[in-house]
Each structure stands twice: as C-alpha cells, then as structure tokens.
Amino acid sequence: QVQLVESGGGVVQAGGSLRLSCVGSAAVRDIRKMGWYREVPGKQRELVATISSNGRTELADAVRDRFAISKDIPKKTVSLQMNNLKLEDTGVYFCYFHAATSRSYPAADEYWGRGTQVTVSS
C-alpha cells in the first residue's frame, strides 16, 4: 500500500537548477525520516540528503553548498532543491521514507520510490 512518487527530474545544463519532490501514499504514517539517494551505473546507491521529522538534516559533502532538502509532514512530501548542478550530479535519484504504517504498532520500515532521472549536460 505504501507508494512514493517522485517528480521533477529532467535534463539541465551545468549550472542550472532542478527541484525534486516525492509524495507518499495515504498508507504512510508516523514519518521518522525522509530523503534522497542517487546512483549511477556501476556504483552503489549513495546518500544525497535526509531530513528527520524533527527537522534535522544531513547532506553529502559533494552537494552541501548547492542542494537543500525540505519537508511537509502533513502532506507526506519531501523536496530537494538542486542548484548549480554539475555533470557529476547526473544519476537516478530515489526518494525514501523511514516510516510506520500503523499507529497501534509503530515500528518503522524503509520505503523507496522508483527513481527519477537527473541528467546534467555540458
């Protein structure tokens, strides 16, 4: 029942900007953390940014000065503003939620979106 739907990917020139958004389905409850990871062929998935329900954020060193993550817990939405994009930012970006689906049994699980392509061109 849990689905995460990403949007906002596309092709941009180096130096440009994109904003990614991800919305969780109604089955999502009690969100603990949301974020974005990315991967390229031949490399393992890597953390880009996360944000906890209390507002604490973490960003990869490679994007710290250029990207910003934000959340809207009532709307079950996490967004990633990507500025000054570089060629090495190219990849498939995956949304993730760490969340529970039941208030009566609030153990949290990890959920992933299908991924959205971000391509940065020269």
Side-chain angles (χ1 to χ4, degrees):
Q1 292 181 327
V2 172
Q3 291 184 313
L4 308 181
V5 180
E6 301 116 330
S7 62
V11 181
V12 297
Q13 290 192 347
S17 298
L18 284 175
R19 184 177 178 85
L20 305 182
S21 293
C22 176
V23 181
S25 65
V28 173
R29 296 179 62 92
D30 193 17
I31 295 170
R32 315 291 177 81
K33 183 183 292 186
M34 302 181 287
W36 294 91
Y37 287 65
R38 68 187 181 189
E39 66 181 42
V40 298
K43 295 184 178 181
Q44 65 183 13
R45 189 173 298 181
E46 66 179 10
L47 182 148
V48 178
T50 65
I51 184 165
S52 298
S53 59
N54 63 9
R56 182 178 180 180
T57 62
E58 59 178 338
L59 280 80
D61 289 343
V63 308
R64 189 179 310 279
D65 297 330
R66 301 180 294 115
F67 292 9
I69 189 168
S70 60
K71 63 177 173 64
D72 189 333
I73 295 296
K75 295 183 178 179
K76 303 177 182 180
T77 299
V78 61
S79 298
L80 183 70
Q81 180 66 45
M82 305 185 293
N83 298 321
N84 191 23
L85 284 159
K86 303 178 182 295
L87 296 179
E88 55 263 39
D89 294 319
T90 293
V92 179
Y93 284 67
F94 294 87
C95 172
Y96 99 94
F97 281 25
H98 186 59
T101 59
S102 172
R103 186 174 293 274
S104 62
Y105 190 78
D109 289 323
E110 192 172 74
Y111 303 95
W112 294 92
R114 291 183 177 273
T116 184
Q117 178 71 40
V118 172
T119 301
V120 183
S121 63
S122 61

